[in-house]
Amino acid sequence: MMKQTFGFLIFILLVVACKGNKVGNTTATTAQQVAVADTDSLQSENEPPVAADGFFDDFFFNFQTNQAFQLKRVSFPLLVQEGATTQQLEKKDWKFNPFYSKRELYTMLFDNKSELKTAKDTALKVVVVEMINLKTEKVAQYFFEKLRKQWMLTSLRHQSLQDNVNKDFYLFYRDFAQKPSFRLTHVANPFNLVVIDPDTYKPLRGVADAGQWPDYCPDLPKIEITNIVYRQRYKDPRHRVLVVSSINGAMNSVISFEKTKASWRAIKLENN
């Protein structure tokens, strides 16, 4: 009887040991599966779809938010021009640039509203992204070219704001964005206003007094603004259209300016 009891206890211990090993193996296998899943997720994040090169805006979203992708899409050695000096930036010296992806708003400048459609032109071969610092009056111009159906950053140019084709408007904009009293005297009275009806989602058109401008205009970037040059030539010295958009796409405002003998002034605000 003692031998039978002892044998039964050994059997129980063996079963428990086997179950323990099975649980341990299952846990290890699960951990490996999670690790593989994480790796697959990271790899897919680093490889945007081919269609991302169709529209420049889709490409640039990935370029400024994905470090691995950005590194692949810079033509090294990168030509960097400052004044009359041109240098080459090697791959090992490149630092990830988030551009305006970490901000709430970004801006674009056009001659007129009809130019806005150029952003969706799949035939574009060259696009320039400008980062304009209104405090230091410096402009960084990033030149992108579509090579073998892929957008690539091919060169970078640093210039003074005084050398930029839109210097006159940018200097005006600095005061317009930073000084409420200046802004009040540089809005047409009345100005044209277009807003979206929250019930029908259709545009409502009308006019408003200059004093109502702060009620409808979004907060404008004050220190650094951006511009994306798709095909704009800025040949009309009397008109500019400023597009102010949120990064998440929830807000889009179009502000039309005209230049009088005295200065620029805002004549129309459209909130989409």
Side-chain angles (χ1 to χ4, degrees), residues 91-141:
K91 185 175 183 178
K92 62 181 178 62
D93 298 319
W94 176 260
K95 294 182 179 180
F96 175 69
N97 188 339
F99 290 86
Y100 53 77
S101 63
K102 296 184 180 298
R103 304 177 192 174
E104 294 184 2
L105 301 172
Y106 69 99
T107 58
M108 294 178 289
L109 193 64
F110 300 87
D111 267 333
N112 51 67
K113 278 192 65 178
S114 65
E115 288 185 333
L116 270 64
K117 61 185 179 183
T118 59
K120 300 302 180 183
D121 188 354
T122 56
L124 289 171
K125 298 299 181 183
V126 177
V127 173
V128 182
V129 175
E130 295 184 323
M131 305 294 289
I132 304 105
N133 191 308
L134 299 171
K135 183 177 181 180
T136 62
E137 297 190 4
K138 298 292 184 182
V139 181
Q141 297 179 314

Side-chain angles (χ1 to χ4, degrees), residues 67-187:
Q67 297 189 42
F69 181 70
Q70 184 175 113
L71 197 61
K72 290 180 180 179
R73 293 303 185 91
V74 179
S75 294
F76 293 110
L78 183 70
L79 297 179
V80 181
Q81 179 182 351
E82 187 160 4
T85 304
T86 300
Q87 298 179 337
Q88 292 186 337
L89 183 68
E90 300 295 337
K91 185 175 183 178
K92 62 181 178 62
D93 298 319
W94 176 260
K95 294 182 179 180
F96 175 69
N97 188 339
F99 290 86
Y100 53 77
S101 63
K102 296 184 180 298
R103 304 177 192 174
E104 294 184 2
L105 301 172
Y106 69 99
T107 58
M108 294 178 289
L109 193 64
F110 300 87
D111 267 333
N112 51 67
K113 278 192 65 178
S114 65
E115 288 185 333
L116 270 64
K117 61 185 179 183
T118 59
K120 300 302 180 183
D121 188 354
T122 56
L124 289 171
K125 298 299 181 183
V126 177
V127 173
V128 182
V129 175
E130 295 184 323
M131 305 294 289
I132 304 105
N133 191 308
L134 299 171
K135 183 177 181 180
T136 62
E137 297 190 4
K138 298 292 184 182
V139 181
Q141 297 179 314
Y142 297 82
F143 291 81
F144 292 86
E145 296 183 54
K146 202 168 191 179
L147 307 174
R148 295 180 293 278
K149 298 183 179 181
Q150 290 187 332
W151 284 105
M152 300 289 295
L153 174 62
T154 56
S155 63
L156 166 61
R157 178 168 66 191
H158 296 284
Q159 70 171 183
S160 167
L161 182 61
Q162 299 297 326
D163 297 326
N164 190 275
V165 65
N166 288 305
K167 66 175 182 178
D168 179 59
F169 178 81
Y170 287 146
L171 292 175
F172 155 78
Y173 170 85
R174 180 172 62 185
D175 289 336
F176 187 84
Q178 296 179 3
K179 303 175 182 178
S181 58
F182 179 91
R183 181 167 56 249
L184 184 62
T185 59
H186 288 79
V187 173

Side-chain angles (χ1 to χ4, degrees), residues 241-254:
V241 173
L242 181 71
V243 177
V244 184
S245 299
S246 61
I247 297 298
N248 61 12
M251 187 278 294
N252 187 68
S253 291
V254 180

Side-chain angles (χ1 to χ4, degrees), residues 28-40:
T29 301
T30 302
Q32 291 174 356
Q33 290 174 343
V34 171
V36 170
D38 290 343
T39 302
D40 290 342

